[in-house]
Amino acid sequence: MNTFINILGVLLFATGIAVSIALHEFGHLLTAKAFGMKVTRYFIGFGPKLFSFRKGETEYGLKAIPAGGFCEITGMTALDEVHPDDRKRAFYNQKVWKRVVVLSAGSITHFILGFVILLILAMSLGLPNNKDLPVLAEITPCVQNHTVGLTAPCQSGAPAPAKDAGLQPGDEVTSIAGKPISTWSEMLTITRELSGPTEFKVLRDGKELALTVNVPKVTREVTDGKGGREVKEVGAIGVTWQQNFEYSPLAAVPASLAFTGDMFVNTWKGLMRFPERIPAVVKAIGGGERDLDTPISVVGASRLGGDAAERGLWAFFILMLAGLNFFVGVFNLLPLLPLDGGHIAVNLYERVRDWLRKLRGKPAGAPVNYMRLLPLTYVVIFIGGAITLLTVTADIVNPIRLQ
C-alpha cells in the first residue's frame, strides 16, 4: 500500500510539473495573441508528435517527451524568414515593451501559480513557520522525565509549569528572564538552562503579557553538540511549537504574499550558491553521502514528492510545487540565452542603444545579430545539459529521501 501511495505521489508531482510547463508556454501564447502577434504552434513536450489539432492559425499538440514545451511566434528575431503578409504581426516588429511582456509572461505565470498554490495551502493545511517563530501550538498537561515517555499519561504530582502559569496556544514568546528571543531554537536553548520561577513575556492578541513560569528540571535525551545524543537534566515547561499557520480567506492573501517574498529571497540565495554545490553532487554520484542542500532535478523532486505522499506530508508536497514554480520562474529570467531572460536582455539592450543613438542624432541601429551570440548560447546549453545530467544521475543512484 505504501509503495502504491509513493508511486501515486511521484505521478502527481510529475503531473504538477507538466501542468506548470504547459501554463508557462500558455503565458507566452496568451500575451502574444493579446498583442496581435501570430502564434503558429503551441506544443507540450519534445520529440515525436503524439497528436495535434488546429484552431485558427495555431496548431496545438502534445509530443512524446514530457520535458518542456514551446510556443512558436512568427518572427522572434529579425533573422527569421517571415511571409510579407505577416511582417506587421512579427514579434520583432512590435514595440519593445510588448516583446518584454511576452518574453516574461512564462515566468510571471510561474509566479502567479506559485502564489495561488501558497494561498490554497494557507487556507487549508497552513503555511510553514519558516522563520522559526516561538509561537506555542499546545500546552501540555505536565512535563516528566524521558523514561516515562513524553506522550504517556501524567504521573501523580508531575509539574505543569506552562499550564499553571497561564500560557495559551497561539502565544508568541518574546523574552525569557529579560532576554529577548526571536526563534523557537533560542527559546529551547535558554529554557533548558533554567530552573525555578522565571518571567516569560508573550504576545497575545497584540498585547504583551508577563507570566511567571516555575521551570522544573527533568531528564531528557538531547544532542551533545558532536552529532550524538546524551541524557541530561534540562529545564522544560511543557509546550509544543507551532509548525504551521492556518489563515482565513481574507488573512491568507497578505500572509501568502509575505511568504512569497520569503521564497523569492531564498530562491535567489539558492541560485547564487548553485555553482558551489555542484562538487557535492559529483561526490554523491561516486558514493559519498548525499548532502541535503545539493541541487536536485525534476526526477529527484518527484521522488521527494512520492516520499511526502507516502508519509502523508501533503503540506510539504504542495510547498515543493510552489517552490519549484518560483525557482523555474526566477531561473528563466537570468540574462542568458537561450533563456527568456537572455532574449529580454537583448531587446532591452537594443532599446537603450537606440535611445542613446537618438540623443546623438543618429538613426536606430540594426537588430542584434543572434548568430554572433550562438557560441555563448551553445556554452550555456552545454553547461545546463551537463548539470542536468549530473543531478538526474545523482537522483537515480543516490537520491535525497525524506527520513
Side-chain angles (χ1 to χ4, degrees), residues 58-130:
T58 307
E59 181 185 10
Y60 302 83
L62 181 68
K63 296 204 170 189
I65 304 174
F70 63 91
C71 174
E72 192 172 278
I73 304 172
T74 297
M76 284 298 295
T77 74
L79 298 176
D80 296 346
E81 291 186 13
V82 178
H83 191 279
D85 295 341
D86 295 330
R87 282 175 185 166
K88 288 185 178 180
R89 301 177 62 197
F91 179 85
Y92 65 79
N93 277 329
Q94 309 304 309
K95 292 183 177 180
V96 173
W97 72 268
K98 292 183 179 181
R99 285 182 261 164
V100 171
V101 168
V102 172
L103 289 169
S104 60
S107 287
I108 292 172
T109 301
H110 281 299
F111 300 150
I112 293 173
L113 183 58
F115 171 74
V116 170
I117 291 172
L118 290 180
L119 191 62
I120 294 171
L121 184 62
M123 294 185 291
S124 55
L125 301 174
L127 294 175
N129 186 352
N130 65 321

Side-chain angles (χ1 to χ4, degrees), residues 122-262:
M123 294 185 291
S124 55
L125 301 174
L127 294 175
N129 186 352
N130 65 321
K131 293 184 178 179
D132 196 26
L133 297 175
V135 178
L136 311 183
E138 181 184 357
I139 309 301
T140 60
C142 67
V143 293
Q144 44 198 350
N145 296 328
H146 81 287
T147 52
V148 176
L150 300 181
T151 60
C154 292
Q155 293 178 306
S156 177
K163 182 180 178 182
D164 293 341
L167 289 169
Q168 296 180 9
D171 286 349
E172 180 177 349
V173 180
T174 57
S175 73
I176 301 175
K179 298 178 181 178
I181 66 167
S182 57
T183 67
W184 176 257
S185 300
E186 289 177 342
M187 179 178 168
L188 285 180
T189 301
I190 293 174
T191 303
R192 285 171 178 168
E193 302 301 321
L194 298 176
S195 178
T198 308
E199 183 185 70
F200 278 64
K201 287 186 177 180
V202 301
L203 274 179
R204 182 185 299 168
D205 298 326
K207 297 179 181 179
E208 188 172 64
L209 303 175
L211 303 172
T212 300
V213 182
N214 190 14
V215 184
K217 285 289 188 180
V218 294
T219 56
R220 292 284 170 85
E221 187 179 44
V222 297
T223 57
D224 60 7
K226 302 177 182 178
R229 307 283 293 179
E230 64 177 342
V231 176
K232 62 184 295 187
E233 280 200 338
V234 297
I237 64 172
V239 295
T240 60
W241 179 56
Q242 185 73 49
Q243 298 186 46
N244 296 287
F245 298 114
E246 294 183 27
Y247 299 89
S248 66
L250 189 61
V253 175
S256 299
L257 284 172
F259 201 91
T260 296
D262 292 338

Side-chain angles (χ1 to χ4, degrees), residues 45-50 63-65:
F46 293 103
K49 180 169 67 176
L50 298 179
K63 296 204 170 189
I65 304 174

